[in-house]
Amino acid sequence: MIVKGTYFQNDEINPLVYGDVEIENVKRRRLRGEEEKEGVLCEPVLIGFCGTDNELMNMGSKGLLTPKFPEGKTRLINGHEGIVWVPSENRFAIVLIRGGDSYDPTRYTEDETYFEYGCDKADGLFADKQYFNPDMLLKIPDGYVKDGKLDLEFAKKMVFPDPYGCMLFQLERMEDLGSAHNFRVVMAREKCDEAAARKIAMDEVFDRTVIFGLGTTGMFMGDLIKKHHPNANILFVARSDESSPKVKFALRETGAKYLKSNFDTERELADAIVKELGGRATMFIGVSGSNVEHRIAFEHKALGCNGVYNSFSLGPKVEYDTMPFGFENHLIFGSINFRQCHMEKAIELLAQSRYNEIVELIDRDEFASDPIGAYKNKIYSKAAPMKTAVIWNKKYLNID
């Protein structure tokens, strides 16, 4: 079937193209042990742009996208954040992005495989029609459809279940690892049993939390930490002015503190972080996408003894001096994506949120006429809003 859409390709000049593209109904498996199923034909309604899309475009300009293409293809239809209409089921749905021949696609092993719609080995949402595994079409809450049309403000929130679900997984990982990393110290200090010590350690790992970078992932992470650990002391560090709308929104939603990264040296920035937190960090979350993250944490000692470093940025290299690293007992981990339960919980929480307020829309015709220009000059420019989405199919939305 030929449809209109955008797709990435290996091309130095035109790594992102809008035009005719052929889609196929490929059988896919949600989890190991389940049967492969043909996809259900869906119509994307509203789609969000993710930093991954921009990174994939850059990879295409360097000729590095081949491992990401669907089997037998030389292009990838992008898009993994949004809401679709399922004609055969007369309902709207959120696409669960990651599946495969694995028990847990979030943490696949060497003998397992995975795919991600719009990101890795499977075509995504930026097309007039697309096929998705029927078991991966998640339901939306009741009350947001009227006369067959979806409420626009609710739809804007539904560009976030992917990153928000990912942050729910991140929270789970930080809690698990923080508890396991420090419970023996707590047992010795509090003279308590292991169960009690693990609970205390899980909470204390967030006592002084640095979130280095303030995009949507950083904001969601701060939001979730505060919801589950209300005594956490959270500090966002980023380059935006304190008066910017995204900083004001983030601080309002999380109750966190903010430090603008405008110091002459990295040492001064690290010292300011420690001063603002009232001590070296217990948790350092890197989401800025820059190499300065690890230097602030390790070289300039913003991360304290027994601290945890969550490397969530894609791209930067993490380096550390093994002598202080070992003696200060740091823990470094990295993990991405989510399980279905995280995505379903994200949909539920986002439906009650105000995150639609940070989503700005780009006209489809404007985007389609020059997708690369839209990426560079609007969606991912320095003046870009925190989140941009495009209404792909107006007939399914209640815009009034």
Short mmCIF file of all heavy atoms in Angstrom, two decimals, residues 146-181:
data_model
loop_
_atom_site.label_atom_id
_atom_site.label_comp_id
_atom_site.label_asym_id
_atom_site.label_seq_id
_atom_site.Cartn_x
_atom_site.Cartn_y
_atom_site.Cartn_z
N LYS A 146 -16.08 12.43 21.93
CA LYS A 146 -17.44 12.95 21.82
C LYS A 146 -17.83 12.98 20.35
O LYS A 146 -17.11 13.57 19.53
CB LYS A 146 -17.54 14.36 22.43
CG LYS A 146 -18.95 14.93 22.41
CD LYS A 146 -18.99 16.30 23.07
CE LYS A 146 -20.40 16.88 23.06
NZ LYS A 146 -20.44 18.23 23.68
N ASP A 147 -18.93 12.32 20.05
CA ASP A 147 -19.40 12.24 18.66
C ASP A 147 -18.32 11.71 17.72
O ASP A 147 -18.16 12.18 16.59
CB ASP A 147 -19.89 13.62 18.18
CG ASP A 147 -21.06 14.16 19.00
OD1 ASP A 147 -21.87 13.33 19.46
OD2 ASP A 147 -21.15 15.38 19.18
N GLY A 148 -17.59 10.74 18.22
CA GLY A 148 -16.57 10.10 17.39
C GLY A 148 -15.28 10.86 17.24
O GLY A 148 -14.39 10.42 16.52
N LYS A 149 -15.17 12.01 17.91
CA LYS A 149 -13.95 12.81 17.80
C LYS A 149 -13.25 12.90 19.16
O LYS A 149 -13.89 12.94 20.21
CB LYS A 149 -14.26 14.21 17.27
CG LYS A 149 -14.74 14.22 15.83
CD LYS A 149 -14.83 15.63 15.28
CE LYS A 149 -15.19 15.65 13.80
NZ LYS A 149 -15.17 17.01 13.24
N LEU A 150 -11.94 12.97 19.08
CA LEU A 150 -11.10 12.99 20.28
C LEU A 150 -10.81 14.43 20.69
O LEU A 150 -10.53 15.29 19.86
CB LEU A 150 -9.78 12.27 19.99
CG LEU A 150 -8.85 12.02 21.16
CD1 LEU A 150 -9.45 11.03 22.14
CD2 LEU A 150 -7.50 11.50 20.63
N ASP A 151 -10.87 14.68 22.00
CA ASP A 151 -10.56 16.00 22.53
C ASP A 151 -9.11 16.36 22.24
O ASP A 151 -8.19 15.59 22.53
CB ASP A 151 -10.81 16.02 24.04
CG ASP A 151 -10.42 17.34 24.67
OD1 ASP A 151 -11.13 18.32 24.46
OD2 ASP A 151 -9.38 17.37 25.37
N LEU A 152 -8.87 17.54 21.64
CA LEU A 152 -7.53 17.93 21.22
C LEU A 152 -6.58 18.05 22.39
O LEU A 152 -5.43 17.60 22.32
CB LEU A 152 -7.58 19.25 20.45
CG LEU A 152 -6.22 19.85 20.05
CD1 LEU A 152 -5.44 18.89 19.14
CD2 LEU A 152 -6.40 21.20 19.38
N GLU A 153 -7.03 18.67 23.49
CA GLU A 153 -6.13 18.87 24.61
C GLU A 153 -5.71 17.54 25.24
O GLU A 153 -4.57 17.38 25.67
CB GLU A 153 -6.78 19.79 25.66
CG GLU A 153 -7.00 21.21 25.17
CD GLU A 153 -5.72 21.85 24.63
OE1 GLU A 153 -4.68 21.78 25.31
OE2 GLU A 153 -5.76 22.39 23.50
N PHE A 154 -6.62 16.57 25.25
CA PHE A 154 -6.24 15.23 25.72
C PHE A 154 -5.25 14.60 24.75
O PHE A 154 -4.26 13.99 25.16
CB PHE A 154 -7.48 14.34 25.85
CG PHE A 154 -7.15 12.90 26.09
CD1 PHE A 154 -6.76 12.46 27.34
CD2 PHE A 154 -7.20 11.99 25.05
CE1 PHE A 154 -6.44 11.12 27.56
CE2 PHE A 154 -6.88 10.65 25.25
CZ PHE A 154 -6.50 10.22 26.52
N ALA A 155 -5.51 14.75 23.46
CA ALA A 155 -4.62 14.16 22.46
C ALA A 155 -3.20 14.71 22.58
O ALA A 155 -2.23 13.97 22.40
CB ALA A 155 -5.17 14.42 21.05
N LYS A 156 -3.07 15.99 22.91
CA LYS A 156 -1.74 16.58 23.08
C LYS A 156 -0.98 15.92 24.23
O LYS A 156 0.23 15.73 24.16
CB LYS A 156 -1.86 18.09 23.31
CG LYS A 156 -2.24 18.85 22.04
CD LYS A 156 -2.77 20.25 22.33
CE LYS A 156 -1.74 21.17 22.88
NZ LYS A 156 -2.26 22.56 23.03
N LYS A 157 -1.68 15.53 25.28
CA LYS A 157 -1.04 14.82 26.38
C LYS A 157 -0.54 13.44 25.95
O LYS A 157 0.41 12.91 26.53
CB LYS A 157 -2.01 14.66 27.55
CG LYS A 157 -2.54 15.95 28.14
CD LYS A 157 -3.60 15.67 29.20
CE LYS A 157 -4.25 16.93 29.69
NZ LYS A 157 -5.31 16.66 30.71
N MET A 158 -1.19 12.89 24.93
CA MET A 158 -0.87 11.52 24.53
C MET A 158 0.34 11.42 23.59
O MET A 158 0.59 10.37 23.02
CB MET A 158 -2.10 10.86 23.89
CG MET A 158 -3.22 10.61 24.90
SD MET A 158 -2.75 9.55 26.31
CE MET A 158 -2.68 10.75 27.66
N VAL A 159 1.08 12.52 23.44
CA VAL A 159 2.39 12.40 22.81
C VAL A 159 3.45 12.03 23.84
O VAL A 159 4.61 11.79 23.49
CB VAL A 159 2.82 13.70 22.08
CG1 VAL A 159 1.80 14.06 21.02
CG2 VAL A 159 3.01 14.85 23.07
N PHE A 160 3.05 11.94 25.13
CA PHE A 160 4.01 11.73 26.20
C PHE A 160 4.04 10.33 26.84
O PHE A 160 4.93 10.09 27.67
CB PHE A 160 3.76 12.75 27.32
CG PHE A 160 4.09 14.17 26.94
CD1 PHE A 160 3.14 15.17 27.06
CD2 PHE A 160 5.34 14.50 26.45
CE1 PHE A 160 3.44 16.48 26.73
CE2 PHE A 160 5.66 15.81 26.10
CZ PHE A 160 4.70 16.80 26.25
N PRO A 161 3.10 9.42 26.58
CA PRO A 161 3.20 8.11 27.25
C PRO A 161 4.52 7.38 27.04
O PRO A 161 4.99 6.68 27.94
CB PRO A 161 2.02 7.33 26.65
CG PRO A 161 1.01 8.37 26.35
CD PRO A 161 1.82 9.54 25.86
N ASP A 162 5.12 7.55 25.85
CA ASP A 162 6.42 6.90 25.62
C ASP A 162 7.49 7.43 26.57
O ASP A 162 8.07 6.66 27.34
CB ASP A 162 6.81 7.09 24.15
CG ASP A 162 8.18 6.51 23.82
OD1 ASP A 162 9.19 7.08 24.25
OD2 ASP A 162 8.23 5.49 23.11
N PRO A 163 7.80 8.75 26.59
CA PRO A 163 8.83 9.21 27.52
C PRO A 163 8.42 9.11 28.98
O PRO A 163 9.26 8.85 29.84
CB PRO A 163 9.06 10.67 27.09
CG PRO A 163 7.82 11.08 26.37
CD PRO A 163 7.34 9.84 25.70
N TYR A 164 7.14 9.31 29.28
CA TYR A 164 6.69 9.23 30.67
C TYR A 164 6.77 7.78 31.16
O TYR A 164 7.20 7.52 32.30
CB TYR A 164 5.27 9.75 30.80
CG TYR A 164 4.91 10.22 32.20
CD1 TYR A 164 5.17 11.53 32.60
CD2 TYR A 164 4.32 9.38 33.12
CE1 TYR A 164 4.85 11.98 33.87
CE2 TYR A 164 3.99 9.82 34.40
CZ TYR A 164 4.26 11.11 34.76
OH TYR A 164 3.94 11.55 36.03
N GLY A 165 6.39 6.83 30.30
CA GLY A 165 6.54 5.42 30.65
C GLY A 165 7.99 5.06 30.86
O GLY A 165 8.33 4.28 31.75
N CYS A 166 8.85 5.65 30.03
CA CYS A 166 10.29 5.41 30.18
C CYS A 166 10.78 5.94 31.52
O CYS A 166 11.61 5.31 32.18
CB CYS A 166 11.03 6.09 29.03
SG CYS A 166 12.72 5.49 28.80
N MET A 167 10.26 7.08 31.95
CA MET A 167 10.67 7.62 33.25
C MET A 167 10.11 6.80 34.41
O MET A 167 10.74 6.70 35.47
CB MET A 167 10.23 9.08 33.37
CG MET A 167 10.95 10.03 32.42
SD MET A 167 12.77 9.99 32.56
CE MET A 167 13.20 8.97 31.14
N LEU A 168 8.95 6.19 34.24
CA LEU A 168 8.45 5.26 35.26
C LEU A 168 9.40 4.08 35.42
O LEU A 168 9.66 3.61 36.53
CB LEU A 168 7.04 4.78 34.90
CG LEU A 168 5.91 5.77 35.19
CD1 LEU A 168 4.65 5.37 34.43
CD2 LEU A 168 5.63 5.83 36.68
N PHE A 169 9.93 3.60 34.30
CA PHE A 169 10.92 2.53 34.35
C PHE A 169 12.21 3.02 35.01
O PHE A 169 12.83 2.32 35.81
CB PHE A 169 11.20 2.01 32.94
CG PHE A 169 12.30 0.99 32.87
CD1 PHE A 169 12.18 -0.22 33.53
CD2 PHE A 169 13.45 1.24 32.15
CE1 PHE A 169 13.19 -1.17 33.47
CE2 PHE A 169 14.46 0.30 32.08
CZ PHE A 169 14.34 -0.91 32.74
N GLN A 170 12.62 4.25 34.67
CA GLN A 170 13.80 4.82 35.29
C GLN A 170 13.64 4.91 36.81
O GLN A 170 14.56 4.58 37.57
CB GLN A 170 14.07 6.21 34.73
CG GLN A 170 14.52 6.24 33.30
CD GLN A 170 15.93 5.72 33.13
OE1 GLN A 170 16.85 6.17 33.80
NE2 GLN A 170 16.09 4.75 32.26
N LEU A 171 12.48 5.36 37.25
CA LEU A 171 12.23 5.45 38.69
C LEU A 171 12.34 4.07 39.33
O LEU A 171 12.97 3.92 40.39
CB LEU A 171 10.85 6.03 38.94
CG LEU A 171 10.44 6.12 40.41
CD1 LEU A 171 11.29 7.15 41.14
CD2 LEU A 171 8.95 6.47 40.55
N GLU A 172 11.74 3.08 38.71
CA GLU A 172 11.81 1.71 39.21
C GLU A 172 13.25 1.24 39.33
O GLU A 172 13.65 0.65 40.35
CB GLU A 172 11.02 0.79 38.28
CG GLU A 172 11.04 -0.68 38.64
CD GLU A 172 10.34 -1.51 37.57
OE1 GLU A 172 9.10 -1.58 37.63
OE2 GLU A 172 11.03 -2.04 36.68
N ARG A 173 14.05 1.52 38.31
CA ARG A 173 15.45 1.10 38.31
C ARG A 173 16.24 1.83 39.40
O ARG A 173 17.07 1.23 40.11
CB ARG A 173 16.07 1.37 36.94
CG ARG A 173 15.55 0.49 35.84
CD ARG A 173 16.18 -0.88 35.87
NE ARG A 173 17.52 -0.84 35.30
CZ ARG A 173 18.47 -1.72 35.55
NH1 ARG A 173 18.25 -2.68 36.41
NH2 ARG A 173 19.65 -1.62 34.98
N MET A 174 16.02 3.13 39.54
CA MET A 174 16.74 3.89 40.56
C MET A 174 16.39 3.41 41.97
O MET A 174 17.25 3.33 42.85
CB MET A 174 16.47 5.38 40.39
CG MET A 174 17.19 6.00 39.20
SD MET A 174 17.04 7.80 39.11
CE MET A 174 15.34 7.96 38.59
N GLU A 175 15.12 3.12 42.17
CA GLU A 175 14.69 2.61 43.47
C GLU A 175 15.32 1.24 43.75
O GLU A 175 15.85 1.00 44.85
CB GLU A 175 13.17 2.51 43.53
CG GLU A 175 12.47 3.86 43.58
CD GLU A 175 10.97 3.74 43.52
OE1 GLU A 175 10.47 2.70 43.01
OE2 GLU A 175 10.28 4.67 43.98
N ASP A 176 15.26 0.35 42.76
CA ASP A 176 15.82 -0.99 42.94
C ASP A 176 17.33 -0.93 43.22
O ASP A 176 17.82 -1.56 44.16
CB ASP A 176 15.59 -1.84 41.69
CG ASP A 176 14.14 -2.24 41.50
OD1 ASP A 176 13.33 -2.03 42.43
OD2 ASP A 176 13.81 -2.75 40.41
N LEU A 177 18.04 -0.19 42.39
CA LEU A 177 19.49 -0.15 42.50
C LEU A 177 19.94 0.66 43.72
O LEU A 177 20.91 0.30 44.39
CB LEU A 177 20.10 0.42 41.23
CG LEU A 177 19.92 -0.45 39.98
CD1 LEU A 177 20.37 0.28 38.73
CD2 LEU A 177 20.68 -1.76 40.11
N GLY A 178 19.26 1.76 43.99
CA GLY A 178 19.60 2.56 45.17
C GLY A 178 19.42 1.78 46.45
O GLY A 178 20.26 1.84 47.36
N SER A 179 18.34 1.02 46.52
CA SER A 179 18.09 0.18 47.70
C SER A 179 19.17 -0.88 47.85
O SER A 179 19.74 -1.07 48.93
CB SER A 179 16.71 -0.46 47.58
OG SER A 179 16.50 -1.38 48.63
N ALA A 180 19.47 -1.59 46.76
CA ALA A 180 20.46 -2.66 46.82
C ALA A 180 21.86 -2.12 47.08
O ALA A 180 22.68 -2.77 47.74
CB ALA A 180 20.45 -3.44 45.51
N HIS A 181 22.14 -0.91 46.58
CA HIS A 181 23.47 -0.32 46.69
C HIS A 181 23.80 0.08 48.12
O HIS A 181 24.95 -0.04 48.56
CB HIS A 181 23.53 0.89 45.76
CG HIS A 181 24.87 1.53 45.63
ND1 HIS A 181 26.03 0.83 45.36
CD2 HIS A 181 25.25 2.84 45.74
CE1 HIS A 181 27.05 1.67 45.30
NE2 HIS A 181 26.60 2.90 45.53
#
